[in-house]
Amino acid sequence: MDTRTIADIIQSASSKLIAPDGIELSLHLAISEFSEVLEARVSLPSQRARAYNGIGYAYYQLGMFDKALEELEKAIGFNPKLAAVYVNKAAVYNEMGKFNEALHELEIAENLRHAMPNIYALRGDAYRCLGREEEA
């Protein structure tokens, strides 16, 4: 590991996840940097959870949904109270057409942290796809 701190690596990798147009190279670099955090024996469980969440999100962006869910489950294992993980799982489930599962994950996220706007957007998408527009 280089001289950057684990927090620096997480910040750097996170910035690659929001690269314009979801550039594939940036996503692969983010996965690599998050993996660096996981290899560091000094990383805390909360940092490991954020790293797995980032890797899961990158796989989601790459359309590798099963791999994304696998990584997101690892994140939950390190920090089951990280609401962003459940939001990301919901996004994956929405893309897979598993709208009831997405709604379940969003309910967990909302119970953990009420002020995440993407909870409401994803919930609306799931309800619309289930034909329950009045609940969206």
Side-chain angles (χ1 to χ4, degrees), residues 65-134:
F65 303 131
D66 290 331
K67 186 70 175 161
L69 289 173
E70 181 182 314
E71 298 300 318
L72 294 169
E73 284 298 325
K74 290 177 187 176
I76 290 169
F78 282 99
N79 185 357
K81 295 185 180 193
L82 184 59
V85 178
Y86 299 97
V87 172
N88 289 338
K89 280 183 69 179
V92 172
Y93 282 134
N94 267 354
E95 288 295 320
M96 296 174 79
K98 297 181 176 184
F99 305 112
N100 288 318
E101 289 90 337
L103 291 171
H104 174 73
E105 299 300 328
L106 292 169
E107 184 177 326
I108 295 169
E110 188 173 29
N111 287 335
L112 291 171
R113 184 172 168 197
H114 299 283
M116 291 184 75
N118 41 349
I119 290 174
Y120 306 108
L122 287 167
R123 181 182 293 139
D125 291 344
Y127 278 133
R128 275 189 289 285
C129 290
L130 288 169
R132 296 163 51 187
E133 288 85 2
E134 68 284 352

Side-chain angles (χ1 to χ4, degrees), residues 6-7 33 35 38 55 57 75 91 97-98 103 120-121 123 126-127 131:
I6 291 172
E33 287 188 345
S35 296
L38 297 173
I55 292 170
Y57 186 76
K98 297 181 176 184
L103 291 171
Y120 306 108
R123 181 182 293 139
Y127 278 133

